Amino acid sequence: MEMPETEPTTTKRPVWNAGRTVGAKRALKPKQIWEIRFYLNQRRRLRDRALFDLAIDSKLRGCDLVQMKIRDLVSGGQIRTRAIVMQQKTGRPVQFELLPDARTSLLAWLERRGGAVDDYVFPSRIDHNGHLSTRQYARLVDEWVTGVGLMRSEYGTHSLRRTKASIIYRATGNLRAVQILLGHSKIENTVRYLGIDVEDALALAENTEI
């Protein structure tokens, strides 16, 4: 007698992105930048304010940001106006500017933090010889954005990396400059990263009179 075929039992695994918002995180708007700065100032969180300002100006990935050392930012007892780091992901150097707000908050933090030039700017609170972890950095960003009423699911560490680049692009339309600032090897990567579409291109064209 022929036995009926039985279907193999399969264990259903939860979908990796269940309940998550998938896609590029939003860049912050200038008003939101100032709201987060005010939020951190009110709570006298010198470290977090310095970390936030450095993230905005540097446009670095989280892994590069948390591994910065004091010598990368300080020269002759002053915060540099420009700095350069080697990117882990690409192995290529990238330069960035440090504007007055960032220099002021970094100086205030480093005066409290102390340490030698070979120490990390943002040390781990668990291992004082190590640096702040990227996971902890992400948790801090979650706390900052929710603290000013933004949706945690829509913003993250890449929001801070994209913020100034997006503002520069929308103000100038200079995609090549943004590519250099982000340290991208290909301009196509910059286009995808900024989420540039036809509407952006047309808006730029409409604002250009000949």
Side-chain angles (χ1 to χ4, degrees):
M1 184 175 178
E2 187 176 344
M3 298 293 293
E5 294 184 1
T6 58
E7 294 183 2
T9 58
T10 58
T11 303
K12 289 187 177 181
R13 295 181 180 178
V15 180
W16 70 270
N17 60 351
R20 301 180 187 177
T21 301
V22 181
K25 299 293 186 179
R26 292 187 180 186
L28 295 170
K29 297 176 181 178
K31 178 174 179 279
Q32 294 165 338
I33 294 172
W34 285 105
E35 285 174 346
I36 291 175
R37 283 174 172 163
F38 182 78
Y39 171 85
L40 297 175
N41 288 344
Q42 286 291 96
R43 287 155 181 79
R44 301 189 181 188
R45 293 169 64 167
L46 286 183
R47 183 203 62 173
D48 289 10
R49 172 63 196 269
L51 179 60
F52 176 73
D53 286 343
L54 181 58
I56 294 293
D57 272 4
S58 71
K59 303 166 288 292
L60 290 172
R61 297 177 181 87
C63 60
D64 295 322
L65 182 70
V66 298
Q67 293 197 54
M68 292 195 71
K69 295 194 172 183
I70 294 174
R71 65 166 179 261
D72 297 324
L73 298 176
V74 174
S75 177
Q78 299 294 320
I79 303 297
R80 300 174 188 269
T81 56
R82 291 184 180 180
I84 183 170
V85 298
M86 192 69 68
Q87 299 174 101
Q88 288 187 53
K89 184 175 181 179
T90 65
R92 294 159 57 95
V94 64
Q95 296 187 64
F96 57 89
E97 73 294 344
L98 288 167
L99 297 183
D101 282 316
R103 295 201 301 271
T104 299
S105 61
L106 282 165
L107 185 60
W109 161 242
L110 290 176
E111 285 177 345
R112 173 187 285 185
R113 186 237 183 282
V117 293
D118 287 327
D119 291 335
Y120 292 109
V121 178
F122 304 105
S124 166
R125 288 182 175 173
I126 299 172
D127 174 13
H128 293 296
N129 293 320
H131 56 77
L132 182 78
S133 70
T134 52
R135 179 170 292 185
Q136 181 60 20
Y137 171 46
R139 289 195 192 103
L140 289 171
V141 174
D142 283 349
E143 184 180 338
W144 302 339
V145 297
T146 56
V148 297
L150 300 176
M151 295 287 290
R152 183 173 62 180
S153 59
E154 296 181 353
Y155 297 88
T157 58
H158 270 284
S159 296
L160 275 58
R161 172 162 158 78
R162 294 180 66 218
T163 291
K164 197 165 186 178
S166 298
I167 292 171
I168 291 169
Y169 173 71
R170 294 191 183 280
T172 67
N174 192 331
L175 195 56
R176 172 60 179 159
V178 175
Q179 178 195 0
I180 293 170
L181 292 170
L182 288 173
H184 286 161
S185 58
K186 296 180 180 179
I187 205 160
E188 292 86 354
N189 296 339
T190 308
V191 171
R192 286 195 298 271
Y193 196 79
L194 294 180
I196 297 168
D197 56 22
V198 174
E199 287 301 317
D200 292 315
L202 289 174
L204 287 169
E206 288 167 355
N207 291 326
T208 304
E209 294 185 9
I210 298 175

